[in-house]
Amino acid sequence: MGKGKTIATTAVATCGLAAALILAASMTNLFLAGDYYVKIDNAHISENESSGGVINLGSSEPYLYKLEAVNAAGDKTEIEFGASRELHQNAFLKLDLQPIRGVVGWSEISEDSLPPKVAEVLD
């Protein structure tokens, strides 16, 4: 194999690896399922910009939250989800996650409704 082919092959492999890492980073919640709980912190909100593309792998809602979430077992993860409005500061939400689809719904709940391990982490 010539020097030119080796450089081209290396460049293609590097670009492919970079694309795979970017895709994996954007889909960190790809396989999460079940109920997760978050405490709203409006310091972690951003305005969601449309990608302008046909396929939108993220939320199409105007506000985007990126918060630490906890399931009933106490497992923590960072979750990104959209909202149509700015949510109440310090409110507790129960998020419904499904594999591939991510957050498919949420509801505001009282602090008393939190599972014990969740309350320990989020309080």
Side-chain angles (χ1 to χ4, degrees), residues 25-101:
S26 69
M27 299 184 151
T28 54
N29 302 326
L30 188 61
F31 299 109
L32 293 178
D35 294 332
Y36 279 79
Y37 302 84
V38 296
K39 184 175 184 179
I40 297 300
D41 180 356
N42 285 321
H44 296 277
I45 188 175
S46 62
E47 290 197 30
N48 195 11
E49 296 180 21
S50 172
S51 63
V54 176
I55 298 174
N56 183 2
L57 295 176
S59 174
S60 60
E61 298 288 349
Y63 296 99
L64 191 63
Y65 283 88
K66 193 171 195 175
L67 300 168
E68 179 178 72
V70 183
N71 66 10
D75 300 325
K76 296 186 264 183
T77 189
E78 189 171 80
I79 290 185
E80 208 172 87
F81 65 97
S84 60
R85 60 181 168 79
E86 191 171 312
L87 303 174
H88 298 110
Q89 180 70 15
N90 296 322
F92 293 97
L93 300 184
K94 179 180 177 181
L95 307 175
D96 178 17
L97 272 76
Q98 292 185 0
I100 310 292
R101 296 179 61 200

Side-chain angles (χ1 to χ4, degrees), residues 11 13 53 72 85 95 104-105 113 118:
R85 60 181 168 79
L95 307 175
V104 295
S113 300
V118 173

